[in-house]
Amino acid sequence: MKKIILLGYMGCGKSTIANKLSKIIEIPFVDLDKKIEEKVNLSINAIFEKHGEIYFRKLEHEVFVELLNSPEQLIIGLGGGTPCYANNHELLKGDNVVSVYLKASIDTLFNRLSYGKSKRPLIANKSDAEMKEFIAKHLFDRSFYYNQAQYKVIVDDKTIDQTVVDIVAILA
Ligand SMILES: Nc1ncnc2c1ncn2[C@@H]1O[C@H](COP(=O)(O)OP(=O)(O)OP(=O)(O)O)[C@@H](O)[C@H]1O
Ligand SMILES: O=C(O)C1=C[C@@H](O)[C@@H](O)[C@H](O)C1
Ligand SMILES: [Mg+2]
């Protein structure tokens, strides 16, 4: 059974969209960030603080591969950086997955990330101007990896339901 993978920059809506999609198509949703937190019993913030980003990226790769190898059909919501490390982008192209990039503009990401940024260690301490500049550069650097997904859905100006409908159409 194919795994459905949702990917994209922090705040593009992976968790929100995957939760809704999961209810509609009745396939369980696993959030990779949550799975990592459960595995080591630490928040993502604490993992970055205590062990650093390199440790986090190794763990992220391990947990991603474990999920891909699990026997159940799953929707997997990746972390914002997952495709960009440890050759994880190669795993987006396999026959055993359907991968969907939720593509959001810099403005959409900035608006969505302005709420609750303290939980996202990469932007937690940035001012609004710094954050916008950071998102623009970071998104540019990451786009190559995100574009390795098999499908792309533009999420700007769409409601959660509209984006879910677009993904259901891809899966049909
Ligand atoms: N149309 C929309 N589609 C998806 N999310 C939306 C939409 N409008 C607003 N949001 C909000 O955007 C915010 C970011 O969404 P979410 O946390 O699902 O992103 P994410 O991609 O999982 O981020 P992260 O990579 O940090 O886990 C949430 O507060 C969500 O409610
Ligand atoms: O974009 C990123 O690199 C990250 C996104 C989050 O989902 C978490 O996986 C973590 O905060 C790193
Ligand atoms: Mg999320």
Side-chain angles (χ1 to χ4, degrees), residues 30-44 47 51 55-56 58-67:
V30 184
D31 193 297
L32 184 60
D33 283 336
K34 278 205 188 128
K35 204 79 189 170
I36 295 167
E37 291 180 330
E38 283 164 18
K39 182 159 180 163
V40 292
N41 206 17
L42 288 172
S43 68
I44 300 285
I47 300 173
H51 301 287
Y55 172 89
F56 172 77
K58 276 193 191 154
L59 192 60
E60 178 179 49
H61 175 71
E62 270 169 39
V63 179
F64 182 30
V65 171
E66 272 169 33
L67 288 176

Side-chain angles (χ1 to χ4, degrees), residues 99-103 146-147 149-154 158 166 170:
S99 52
V100 184
Y101 169 27
L102 301 182
K103 186 167 193 254
Y146 294 154
N147 282 313
Q150 294 162 359
Y151 298 94
K152 181 164 41 180
V153 169
I154 294 178
K158 281 187 193 152
D166 287 353
I170 287 171

Side-chain angles (χ1 to χ4, degrees), residues 10 33 44 48 56-57 60 79-81 121-122 142:
M10 284 182 286
D33 283 336
I44 300 285
F48 270 71
F56 172 77
R57 296 301 174 191
E60 178 179 49
L122 296 175
R142 289 182 162 187

Side-chain angles (χ1 to χ4, degrees), residues 14-15 31 33 78 120:
K14 299 175 295 290
S15 305
D31 193 297
D33 283 336
L78 298 186
R120 293 175 163 98

Side-chain angles (χ1 to χ4, degrees), residues 45 117-127 131:
N45 259 343
K117 68 179 182 180
S118 63
K119 287 193 206 130
R120 293 175 163 98
L122 296 175
I123 53 165
N125 301 316
K126 298 199 183 328
S127 69
M131 196 167 119

